[in-house]
Amino acid sequence: MVWVGLDAEVYDRQYKDRRLIKRIFSYFSPYKKYMGIVILFLTISSLTTAFVPLITSIAITNLQFNADPTYFLFLILLILVLNVLSFLFNYYRQKNAAKALGYVVLDLRKDATNSILNHDLSFFDKNPTGKIVSRINTDSREFGQMVELTIEVISSVFVMLILIFLLLTINSFLTFLMLIAIPIFFIVALSYRKLARKMTLLGQRALASVNAFAKESFSGIQIAKTFGQEQKLYDQFNMVNIQSYKVNLKRAFTLNAIFPTLGIVQGIVLAILVYYGGNFLIFNSINAGDFNMFLQSLNLLFFPLLTIASFWPQFQAGLSAAERIFSIIDTPPVVVQRNNLIPEKLKGEIEFKNLIFQYEEGKKVFDNFSLKIKPGESLAIVGHTGAGKSSLANLIARFYEFQGGDIVVDGISIRDYDLTEYRRQIGIIPQIPFLWADTVENNINYGCSSAKCEDVISALDKAGGSEWTNSLPNGLNTNVGERGSLLSMGQRQLVAFARVLLEDPSILILDEATASVDPFTETRIQDALEITMEGRTSIVIAHRLWTVRHVDRIIVLENGKIIEEGNHAELMSQKGYYATLYNTYFRHQSLQYIEEMGKT
Amino acid sequence: MAKKSDTLLETQLSEFSPGKDPFEKSRRKGVSSWILSHIFYRSNKAFILIILFTTILASILASIISVIIGLAIEEFLNANLSSLIIFTIIILTLGLITPIFRLINFMQRELLAQRLERDTRKEFYTNLLGKSQSFHDKQKIGDLMARVTDDVRMLNFLMSPAISLILESFTSLIIPLFFIIFLYPLELVLEPIIFTFLFLITLRSYNRKLSPVTGKLRMNFGMINATLNEALSGIEVVKGSTKELYELNKYLNYAEKYRDAYIEQGKIQAKYLPILYLALIITIGFTHSLILYLNGMISIGQIISYLALLGLLRFPTFISIFVFAIIKLAGSSAQRLLELMNQSTEINENPEGIKKDLEGSIVFDQVSFKYPGSDKYVLKNISFEVRPGQTVAIVGTTGSGKTTLTKLISRLYDVSEGKILVDNIDIRDYSLKSLRDQISYIEQDVFLFSFSLFDNITFGRTSVLEEVINAANQAQAHEFISDLAKGYESEIGERGVQLSGGERQRIAIARAFLSNPRLLILDDSTSAIDSNTEDKIQYAIKNILKNRTTFLITHRLSQIRWANLIIVLKNGEISAKGTHEELLKTSGEYRKIFVKKFDLNEERLIKGEI
């Protein structure tokens, strides 16, 4: 099988083969004991496997000359013992290999996950979650399968080598005849691979378009039903489905043709062996048992070749899977603390000093940005998309590293704090609050570690009231579903407010939702905001009319610069940028607008 | 294209329509009879015969080669030089013919497998298309997609290689027996028979031991995906709450369980006994044939052939592990497909019902609703009346039943108790198609198909461009459509244009203008604050309300303000209804919205001074 859709990622690095192998070995080194047993038993069991046909051949040969039953009894007992030993050795080999691999895969997953969790948000901006997850879980599994396969292949190659050695001692000419087939075998297999890869890619694309179309029709099923459009969907689906059938049939034909082709090679080699070997046999330069051993070995020789040829892509995929995991583990985090000062309860004074910040090289978000926020002050940031509002909030939370200047909290650069302790004192409510697929209660006391966590209800009460949770099927114990999908956007905000209230942070960062919230919940959110802002430094990325009217100070950001500053009334009277913004953006939430719309 | 007919929506769909669906019965009987009915469906039978024939032939040829080699050695030992060429040619011919039969076999089984995939996918898709809305509401798109793609594909793998390999294993077990019976003293058939017997018994217990472990493995793999996915989706919260270690441990908990299951699986697989049995049986067979030789009953060549014939048993021994894993997976995949297909459609479409042009008056009379199979009422005792052309605003928090209420009108669900009257006739007495033809629905998150904008607006209607432009104009959508490079011919979606939420909404409104329904349901509850186009959307919505009965689910105070009737829903019940002025006086909760939001004086509000 050939894997597609795994394009190079930013954190990919090309490992030199030697370094990659070394790296793989370093993961196995804690499990030397298991691997030692694997290698030892693998060698022994290969020997026993190869010697069974040899002894059989000796027995057959001796039939022509020797009729001593005890001699044959001895040979048969030997074969019996070898077979049983071979099974036992294989058993221990497989058992220990599974043990070692189980642990190695776990170690890989642990290291990769640990590394991922310590990255800053710029990493997650660049790499979609689904891809990271599949890199950690699926790639590690694929790597494991590759190692399993490698062990199998090594063991059959071992058998093959020992056989070749034994055959050489019997008749070198016949052995060479057999070996000629090997390069032919590989040429056929390799030339096939290119074709197979192309066909597989086409097949996957065709299936992907079926998938995409089906996805679309089920997403829009309701609208299709209300407008009676099922037939149109059906016709189109039928088209892509038949297309996928045709392409995948071609692919399957191509992929399957390789085995009969190789079968023909094997058939020709068999005929050649019969001809020359028969010749030797007739003229008594080889005996029957040995000749038979040549014929029977053909399968044992071709089997590993077939395995290698058909699993080569999987082997490569496994290696690149390993490479991808290592590149995840080896990517250093960008946000690194210089010191680990543990802050007392922060007062919440924040100062940006000549800050320089960019997400991407050459696209500065802030250039020489300065701003001072007093302890306990409530500050609203307004401005158009891309003005830098969220960046400001993200920098305070130390989700990103800045390139120049400094951010100072309570007189100390945020680079000098212990990151964990520092973040504990910052409460964040993102625009779309993220909830865990867990109960309402667990979502609220997530992140809280002290006894006060018990008080989920009073936190909810403060955050605009708790009785809305009564209408949930199991109250506070209701599982809110993936990302909180069971709750409305407004309710998710209320949970996020309660979560932050329990954490009792010194600095509150709130990114208001732009989506509309039903008017009943909205009034609750206003209540919650009022209480949450009290007594702490609050920075609100404001989209709500009510908020901008109630904060101490509004700053208007444009292209990373503060262009206006003051409270609502002051800024309105300036008739500047804020006033314009207000009239296009916030006006729709005002009473006048509503009355006007009602009349026209 | 769609044939416009008065029959049921679902019956238009080609060969899978109820009554004509050839697989309807077998689906009910369960997985294996369903799969079998597909395999033996009509033209597939020819493929099966060819597969059967070539498989048996390939096994016979393999046995013949084994026998021929023995004969050849016998002749060579007798120094028969002339036989050399003959045997070489025979073996070369067999060596070339066998792969050709194998090739034919591969082609046929692939053909059958791919057809199986194509046909079951079509059946599944068509079946889902015909399901009621209440069915679709319960489905997760991601899950449906997994079934349409991966589960259906498993049926392909079931045919090729799994069933083909079983067939081949079976012939590899049986055919050599016949050769042994005909060419050797009968007693030599004992060994392969004993092996086959042991093999089948062990296979059973092996599978029984293995399947719970592979189940565990699969489950824990799902869990490590889910936990990591969730942790990374919420990475801001994890970091903000400094819970990195907690999340890591949550992940490792499942990762360790996965490891344990993996090791367990390795142990069971290592103990696959048939491999040992085969080695022992071959040794015993060898001994047996030696004894017969020493007694002069068979020749050396026959010993060699006999061993080669026993060697053919290797194939079923090694392949069986792999095959059973596929069959197990395919079985549960088929189960997952049937599980959905066998659910019945709840709505009676009443094709013989009343067909008439509606006026648009609506009465909800003591309507209650609960989802089929649930005890919990989503709506309780809802009663209200709407005159033709009026606008009703429905407000309330999420989960209060707003959307469900509107879905009852277009009969996406049927009421559990009470009744809904349109023009004083119970909606269940109308033909569903006639009713739905006069109702338009503009959903929260407007969904557009990846057709052209023109097709998205006409949506099955035959309209000329002028009509479409006219509708787009009224929906305030013409302007931005004209700005697009391809105008109305622009394709929507991944490869075409991406529209904003506000733009999509106006496309949907244009669609509604064109279909000019008597009843309109407009769900405006999740639209984002889109200030640049806010005015346009408001005007578009105002336009579409004129001259038709409209239900508006909304959060916008402006829309609530202009409605003829406001219904406030709370936990599925009407907590207040009336006009804006009435509600300001009667509903404290409603009043609070205005007081809080606009910093108004509550007393003056009650008196109507503001």
Side-chain angles (χ1 to χ4, degrees):
Chain A
M1 213 185 270
V2 184
W3 305 100
V4 290
L6 295 164
D7 312 321
E9 298 286 337
V10 254
Y11 54 91
D12 271 348
R13 324 158 143 213
Q14 290 298 316
Y15 286 81
K16 291 234 167 61
D17 283 349
R18 248 186 61 200
R19 221 177 88 81
L20 184 63
I21 301 288
K22 222 173 146 184
R23 202 66 210 278
I24 292 175
F25 272 99
S26 75
Y27 268 88
F28 279 96
S29 67
Y31 310 106
K32 271 189 216 117
K33 199 179 79 191
Y34 301 133
M35 287 317 280
I37 296 176
V38 170
I39 292 167
L40 181 71
F41 285 179
L42 186 137
T43 321
I44 303 177
S45 76
S46 302
L47 276 171
T48 51
T49 312
F51 271 93
V52 170
L54 183 72
I55 296 168
T56 312
S57 129
I58 291 173
I60 291 175
T61 305
N62 273 292
L63 283 178
Q64 287 171 274
F65 318 108
N66 192 337
D68 179 8
T70 47
Y71 177 65
F72 291 115
L73 191 66
F74 165 73
L75 288 181
I76 280 164
L77 280 177
L78 197 59
I79 292 176
L80 215 58
V81 170
L82 283 179
N83 274 330
V84 172
L85 283 181
S86 176
F87 182 82
L88 280 179
F89 289 138
N90 254 318
Y91 169 72
Y92 283 109
R93 195 252 298 168
Q94 269 178 277
K95 199 174 121 173
N96 281 288
K99 230 179 215 167
L101 262 180
Y103 279 96
V104 167
V105 168
L106 178 69
D107 288 349
L108 276 173
R109 286 178 178 163
K110 184 171 161 185
D111 290 352
T113 307
N114 196 21
S115 156
I116 287 287
L117 287 173
N118 284 313
H119 277 295
D120 60 312
L121 291 189
S122 63
F123 180 86
F124 296 96
D125 294 342
K126 285 180 212 129
N127 303 294
T129 301
K131 233 166 198 171
I132 303 175
V133 172
S134 112
R135 288 207 157 189
I136 295 178
N137 292 339
T138 313
D139 282 354
S140 58
R141 186 170 69 174
E142 215 168 285
F143 167 75
Q145 283 164 348
M146 187 267 285
V147 177
E148 272 177 49
L149 208 65
T150 313
I151 294 176
E152 287 305 322
V153 168
I154 288 178
S155 104
S156 52
V157 168
F158 255 36
V159 175
M160 183 172 102
L161 290 178
I162 296 165
L163 264 180
I164 290 176
F165 174 77
L166 292 176
L167 292 177
L168 273 174
T169 61
I170 295 169
N171 186 319
S172 51
F173 179 71
L174 282 183
T175 315
F176 281 123
L177 278 183
M178 278 172 92
L179 294 184
I180 287 173
I182 295 178
I184 299 175
F185 212 85
F186 267 93
I187 289 168
V188 173
L190 291 184
S191 55
Y192 240 90
R193 252 184 44 219
K194 235 178 168 176
L195 190 62
R197 183 173 296 184
K198 203 181 121 206
M199 301 300 275
T200 307
L201 196 67
L202 285 177
Q204 281 166 338
R205 280 202 199 126
L207 187 62
S209 63
V210 172
N211 193 26
F213 186 78
K215 182 172 178 184
E216 178 172 307
S217 23
F218 294 132
S219 309
I221 187 80
Q222 181 173 345
I223 209 75
K225 276 188 179 302
T226 26
F227 284 86
Q229 289 301 299
E230 288 99 328
Q231 185 69 40
K232 188 169 181 176
L233 292 182
Y234 171 80
D235 291 341
Q236 258 190 326
F237 173 81
N238 213 11
M239 212 177 67
V240 285
N241 193 30
I242 286 172
Q243 176 193 308
S244 158
Y245 163 72
K246 284 182 182 157
V247 174
N248 277 300
L249 188 62
K250 238 192 217 166
R251 176 190 65 90
F253 277 3
T254 320
L255 289 183
N256 275 305
I258 187 172
F259 297 105
T261 314
L262 294 177
I264 286 174
V265 176
Q266 197 175 348
I268 292 171
V269 175
L270 182 66
I272 293 175
L273 275 182
V274 167
Y275 181 77
Y276 285 101
N279 227 331
F280 288 137
L281 193 58
I282 289 170
F283 294 105
N284 270 328
S285 46
I286 195 170
N287 43 47
D290 291 343
F291 177 54
N292 184 48
M293 182 170 164
F294 267 97
L295 298 182
Q296 298 308 319
S297 300
L298 201 57
N299 264 326
L300 284 172
L301 271 179
F302 273 73
F303 180 69
L305 293 181
L306 206 65
T307 321
I308 294 172
S310 52
F311 287 111
W312 187 250
Q314 214 162 316
F315 182 76
Q316 277 183 322
L319 269 190
S320 34
E323 194 169 9
R324 285 193 294 265
I325 298 175
F326 290 137
S327 67
I328 280 188
I329 295 174
D330 294 344
T331 312
V334 182
V335 170
V336 181
Q337 295 303 90
R338 290 185 301 210
N339 213 330
N340 54 354
L341 299 179
I342 294 175
E344 295 286 308
K345 178 84 183 155
L346 288 174
K347 291 198 305 264
E349 183 195 55
I350 305 168
E351 190 178 0
F352 294 87
K353 287 182 176 167
N354 307 319
L355 187 77
I356 297 171
F357 172 66
Q358 60 189 22
Y359 291 104
E360 279 172 72
E361 199 64 44
K363 283 188 196 160
K364 282 198 176 122
V365 180
F366 294 116
D367 193 1
N368 227 352
F369 178 86
S370 295
L371 169 69
K372 199 165 175 173
I373 306 167
K374 292 189 289 276
E377 186 181 4
S378 59
L379 178 84
I381 311 172
V382 296
H384 280 303
T385 317
K389 295 171 296 189
S390 303
S391 309
L392 212 57
N394 284 331
L395 284 169
I396 297 173
R398 196 120 175 80
F399 283 156
Y400 293 89
E401 184 58 277
F402 46 91
Q403 286 76 32
D406 208 350
I407 302 173
V408 175
V409 173
D410 284 10
I412 295 170
S413 166
I414 58 170
R415 283 176 172 153
D416 288 326
Y417 285 115
D418 177 280
L419 197 56
T420 310
E421 293 300 320
Y422 171 72
R423 281 203 184 128
R424 254 188 205 146
Q425 306 215 22
I426 295 184
I428 306 160
I429 301 175
Q431 199 167 64
I432 300 168
F434 181 88
L435 302 195
W436 306 96
D438 203 336
T439 63
V440 177
E441 179 163 4
N442 288 340
N443 265 295
I444 292 174
N445 60 30
Y446 185 87
C448 191
S449 42
S450 58
K452 64 186 178 198
C453 305
E454 308 297 316
D455 224 353
V456 169
I457 294 203
S458 82
L460 266 176
D461 271 331
K462 273 197 214 161
S466 64
E467 80 282 358
W468 62 268
T469 55
N470 296 337
S471 68
L472 299 173
N474 294 314
L476 283 178
N477 288 320
T478 308
N479 190 310
V480 297
E482 244 171 85
R483 288 162 182 261
S485 57
L486 210 79
L487 302 183
S488 74
M489 204 54 85
Q491 289 168 334
R492 282 181 240 179
Q493 291 241 321
L494 292 175
V495 170
F497 270 110
R499 183 191 281 166
V500 162
L501 279 171
L502 270 191
E503 275 186 87
D504 192 21
S506 305
I507 298 170
L508 170 74
I509 298 169
L510 166 68
D511 198 347
E512 282 188 313
T514 54
S516 71
V517 173
D518 75 86
F520 299 101
T521 311
E522 173 130 18
T523 54
R524 284 177 193 281
I525 290 176
Q526 285 167 9
D527 287 344
L529 184 57
E530 240 170 305
I531 286 169
T532 317
M533 289 200 305
E534 238 174 53
R536 52 190 122 234
T537 310
S538 313
I539 297 154
V540 184
I541 297 166
H543 300 292
R544 301 284 183 212
L545 181 66
W546 186 87
T547 311
V548 289
R549 296 220 308 222
H550 283 76
V551 291
D552 300 332
R553 180 159 58 132
I554 301 166
I555 61 168
V556 183
L557 273 188
E558 171 83 358
N559 294 325
K561 296 210 162 32
I562 299 174
I563 53 169
E564 282 172 30
E565 197 171 350
N567 64 31
H568 177 69
E570 287 164 14
L571 289 177
M572 281 307 284
S573 64
Q574 279 182 25
K575 293 205 162 58
Y577 190 91
Y578 178 81
T580 321
L581 191 70
Y582 175 84
N583 279 320
T584 56
Y585 195 92
F586 295 102
R587 184 175 62 97
H588 304 288
Q589 303 171 37
S590 72
L591 193 58
Q592 290 106 301
Y593 178 81
I594 289 163
E595 293 300 328
E596 267 167 44
M597 282 307 292
K599 275 174 223 147
T600 47
Chain B
M1 268 313 296
K3 274 179 282 170
K4 283 283 169 195
S5 79
D6 284 333
T7 50
L8 312 185
L9 299 173
E10 287 143 47
T11 50
Q12 295 176 14
L13 296 172
S14 74
E15 70 237 62
F16 291 115
S17 34
K20 275 194 281 174
D21 184 343
F23 303 113
E24 205 173 358
K25 264 191 206 149
S26 70
R27 281 203 301 268
R28 302 254 167 234
K29 281 189 205 152
V31 170
S32 40
S33 77
W34 179 57
I35 291 174
L36 283 176
S37 71
H38 262 284
I39 291 178
F40 291 106
Y41 183 59
R42 289 183 198 164
S43 51
N44 288 349
K45 281 175 193 145
F47 303 131
I48 305 233
L49 280 180
I50 299 176
I51 291 172
L52 214 59
F53 176 69
T54 47
T55 310
I56 294 173
L57 207 64
S59 281
I60 292 177
L61 286 173
S63 296
I64 288 179
I65 289 188
S66 306
V67 174
I68 293 276
I69 283 176
L71 289 178
I73 289 176
E74 202 64 43
E75 288 300 312
F76 298 160
L77 280 176
N78 296 332
N80 185 347
L81 192 58
S82 60
S83 70
L84 184 60
I85 297 288
I86 298 170
F87 277 113
T88 308
I89 289 173
I90 291 176
I91 284 174
L92 186 65
T93 320
L94 288 174
L96 295 181
I97 288 178
T98 316
I100 289 171
F101 277 115
R102 201 148 283 225
L103 188 68
I104 297 173
N105 180 283
F106 278 157
M107 298 290 168
Q108 296 305 310
R109 78 180 206 203
E110 277 304 330
L111 202 60
L112 189 54
Q114 298 287 346
R115 284 169 74 106
L116 194 65
E117 178 177 341
R118 179 194 68 188
D119 294 343
T120 44
R121 181 173 293 130
K122 186 160 101 173
E123 180 187 351
F124 184 67
Y125 179 85
T126 314
N127 189 292
L128 290 201
L129 217 51
K131 292 272 191 256
S132 67
Q133 189 58 35
S134 58
F135 169 87
H136 281 286
D137 283 345
K138 279 180 253 157
Q139 309 306 321
K140 285 194 193 128
I141 297 284
D143 182 57
L144 279 189
M145 293 335 298
R147 292 182 207 223
V148 166
T149 337
D150 301 336
D151 286 330
V152 170
R153 175 138 278 196
M154 274 316 295
L155 296 182
N156 179 338
F157 293 153
L158 174 70
M159 190 56 226
S160 167
I163 291 183
S164 311
L165 287 179
I166 288 188
L167 216 58
E168 212 173 322
S169 300
F170 195 65
T171 53
S172 311
L173 282 174
I174 301 296
I175 303 279
L177 282 183
F178 285 100
F179 277 84
I180 292 169
I181 291 171
F182 285 117
L183 298 176
Y184 297 93
L186 194 61
E187 52 191 285
L188 277 179
V189 88
L190 215 58
E191 279 86 358
I193 286 180
I194 291 174
F195 172 74
T196 309
F197 185 67
L198 278 176
F199 173 62
L200 294 178
I201 291 178
T202 339
L203 206 57
R204 228 173 103 102
S205 69
Y206 173 79
N207 275 319
R208 259 197 213 142
K209 259 188 239 155
L210 193 62
S211 73
V213 180
T214 41
K216 240 191 262 169
L217 206 60
R218 245 203 322 275
M219 195 193 78
N220 283 308
F221 190 73
M223 287 314 294
I224 61 172
N225 271 333
T227 45
L228 192 57
N229 211 336
E230 194 180 27
L232 296 188
S233 304
I235 190 74
E236 280 184 55
V237 185
V238 174
K239 288 190 169 295
S241 320
T242 65
K243 289 285 235 178
E244 287 96 337
L245 202 61
Y246 168 79
E247 290 299 328
L248 180 64
N249 285 332
K250 209 157 83 181
Y251 173 77
L252 285 181
N253 174 29
Y254 291 110
E256 276 164 15
K257 281 186 189 150
Y258 178 88
R259 174 201 61 194
D260 295 342
Y262 179 85
I263 293 174
E264 178 85 28
Q265 178 188 256
K267 249 190 231 165
I268 296 174
Q269 281 174 344
K271 232 188 284 176
Y272 183 61
L273 283 171
I275 293 179
L276 180 64
Y277 293 158
L278 182 68
L280 295 180
I281 283 290
I282 290 179
T283 316
I284 293 169
F286 184 46
T287 319
H288 194 169
S289 62
L290 282 184
I291 294 169
L292 290 181
Y293 174 82
L294 293 176
N295 290 326
M297 289 172 73
I298 56 174
S299 65
I300 290 186
Q302 278 181 308
I303 296 179
I304 289 172
S305 303
Y306 181 63
L307 285 182
L309 285 173
L310 287 183
L312 292 177
L313 299 176
R314 261 196 205 105
F315 180 77
T317 314
F318 282 91
I319 216 75
S320 53
I321 310 176
F322 163 69
V323 168
F324 278 100
I326 298 182
I327 289 183
K328 198 149 264 173
L329 283 177
S332 56
S333 280
Q335 188 59 51
R336 277 158 54 80
L337 295 175
L338 285 188
E339 189 182 277
L340 287 192
M341 288 200 282
N342 281 341
Q343 284 179 29
S344 57
T345 311
E346 297 97 356
I347 298 272
N348 170 16
E349 305 195 335
N350 196 8
E352 314 302 323
I354 300 166
K355 302 176 185 102
K356 72 164 198 115
D357 291 337
L358 301 181
E359 300 260 337
S361 82
I362 294 175
V363 176
F364 268 61
D365 184 9
Q366 304 276 326
V367 169
S368 294
F369 176 73
K370 54 187 177 187
Y371 285 99
S374 158
D375 296 331
K376 201 177 177 235
Y377 280 99
V378 184
L379 289 171
K380 272 170 284 186
N381 266 327
I382 306 286
S383 296
F384 61 86
E385 282 177 38
V386 189
R387 286 195 298 279
Q390 280 195 328
T391 299
V392 185
I394 306 172
V395 287
T397 57
T398 304
S400 56
K402 293 176 293 187
T403 310
T404 314
L405 190 149
T406 58
K407 282 182 176 166
L408 294 179
I409 302 170
S410 49
R411 286 195 66 207
L412 286 169
Y413 310 116
D414 272 338
V415 297
S416 310
E417 284 150 41
K419 58 188 174 203
I420 301 171
L421 307 173
V422 170
D423 293 355
N424 292 318
I425 300 168
D426 191 315
I427 52 172
R428 282 168 290 196
D429 294 336
Y430 287 98
S431 134
L432 183 64
K433 182 159 169 51
S434 159
L435 182 75
R436 282 197 185 156
D437 275 348
Q438 302 186 63
I439 300 177
S440 267
Y441 187 76
I442 300 175
E443 74 269 44
Q444 309 180 17
D445 230 338
V446 173
F447 182 85
L448 297 180
F449 285 93
S450 55
F451 311 149
S452 68
L453 274 174
F454 183 88
D455 283 346
N456 264 295
I457 295 174
T458 57
F459 211 54
R461 221 164 278 279
T462 41
S463 313
V464 293
L465 186 60
E466 278 155 50
E467 293 172 284
V468 173
I469 291 178
N470 187 27
N473 250 325
Q474 286 176 285
Q476 309 276 328
H478 178 64
E479 208 177 307
F480 81 80
I481 296 175
S482 317
D483 285 345
L484 298 171
K486 287 188 189 162
Y488 285 87
E489 287 311 311
S490 311
E491 293 280 328
I492 305 276
E494 274 172 37
R495 266 167 282 162
V497 291
Q498 307 273 355
L499 299 181
S500 72
E503 287 166 338
R504 286 166 171 272
Q505 203 175 19
R506 280 176 283 160
I507 297 287
I509 294 173
R511 183 191 287 161
F513 269 117
L514 201 61
S515 63
N516 193 24
R518 282 311 301 150
L519 287 172
L520 175 69
I521 297 161
L522 202 162
D523 192 338
D524 194 25
S525 56
T526 54
S527 47
I529 296 173
D530 190 353
S531 59
N532 295 329
T533 50
E534 180 77 16
D535 285 343
K536 290 195 173 141
I537 293 170
Q538 294 302 308
Y539 284 119
I541 291 180
K542 262 206 111 150
N543 280 340
I544 193 75
L545 302 183
K546 284 175 195 153
N547 305 322
R548 64 190 101 243
T549 313
T550 309
F551 284 80
L552 256 176
I553 301 175
T554 184
H555 293 165
R556 291 180 213 256
L557 292 174
S558 49
Q559 293 170 356
I560 297 172
R561 183 72 184 82
W562 75 51
N564 303 94
L565 172 68
I566 301 165
I567 294 175
V568 181
L569 281 183
K570 197 171 179 183
N571 296 335
E573 285 175 285
I574 295 183
S575 76
K577 65 179 173 190
T579 61
H580 175 68
E581 284 75 19
E582 287 165 8
L583 286 181
L584 279 183
K585 292 202 177 76
T586 55
S587 165
E589 206 172 0
Y590 186 80
R591 194 160 55 236
K592 194 178 170 216
I593 295 170
F594 287 83
V595 172
K596 185 83 190 170
K597 187 161 172 108
F598 304 114
D599 295 324
L600 302 177
N601 182 308
E602 192 160 356
E603 279 170 36
R604 288 181 59 201
L605 199 61
I606 297 172
K607 286 181 201 149
E609 287 173 14
I610 305 174

